[in-house]
Amino acid sequence: SSPDSDGCTPELEKAGLLNKTKIAEGGRKLRKNWSPSWVVLVGNSLVFFKDPKSQTPSSWKPGNSRPESSVDLRGAQLHWANELSSKKNVFKLRTVTGNEFLLQSETDSLIKEWYSTIQNVIDRLDRE
Ligand code: I3S
């Protein structure tokens, strides 16, 4: 049987390397500080890991490394936000608690995939 035959382990939807900066915490603006982050979309959450070098999609398992932070996608809002940065391919994710993140990739196809995958999760949660 598969490792998740009981359905209790949330589904790993996507994982990869993106540039990330948090720009607001609880609605309060923060100074930008871009850095590469290993981003994992699992269940209803977007989970951020430091040290991308130690992470690969095949090796990642829930609980085997410490996340830097985690975002609950329920009620979150996603917008393209190229006006908020000189970088290309930037989108903004805002949580219900007023935390805001910019995520960016130099690769057009990659950032589009991330955008639509995250939006699909938000839409699914909106329908629940
Ligand atoms: O929106 P800003 O303030 O122009 O963002 C830039 C700054 O945060 C800058 O850091 P300083 O706090 O040292 O000025 C960052 O190095 C830049 O990356 C930020 O702009 P971009 O356009 O890269 O998001």
Side-chain angles (χ1 to χ4, degrees), residues 3-19:
D4 188 33
S5 54
D6 62 357
C8 289
T9 307
E11 192 187 341
L12 175 62
E13 310 235 18
K14 194 167 178 59
L17 192 61
L18 294 175
N19 292 315

Side-chain angles (χ1 to χ4, degrees), residues 6-102:
D6 62 357
C8 289
T9 307
E11 192 187 341
L12 175 62
E13 310 235 18
K14 194 167 178 59
L17 192 61
L18 294 175
N19 292 315
K20 184 196 76 163
T21 181
K22 193 173 187 180
I23 60 165
E25 165 86 39
R28 294 183 69 121
K29 201 167 180 281
L30 297 175
R31 164 81 68 95
K32 270 184 192 166
N33 183 19
W34 286 102
S35 62
S37 180
W38 186 257
V39 183
V40 176
L41 181 53
V42 60
N44 303 345
S45 298
L46 200 60
V47 188
F48 301 121
F49 293 85
K50 282 180 181 163
D51 191 18
K53 287 185 287 295
S54 71
Q55 306 290 333
T56 62
S58 54
S59 75
W60 189 87
K61 291 178 193 68
N64 83 341
S65 58
R66 262 184 232 93
E68 183 190 14
S69 61
S70 164
V71 168
D72 182 0
L73 292 175
R74 191 179 294 276
Q77 295 180 324
L78 196 61
H79 297 286
W80 290 109
N82 286 313
E83 77 283 3
L84 295 183
S85 175
S86 62
K87 300 180 195 304
K88 68 175 204 172
N89 297 336
V90 175
F91 63 70
K92 182 171 85 171
L93 178 66
R94 186 185 194 283
T95 68
V96 281
T97 56
N99 294 342
E100 297 185 350
F101 300 86
L102 300 183

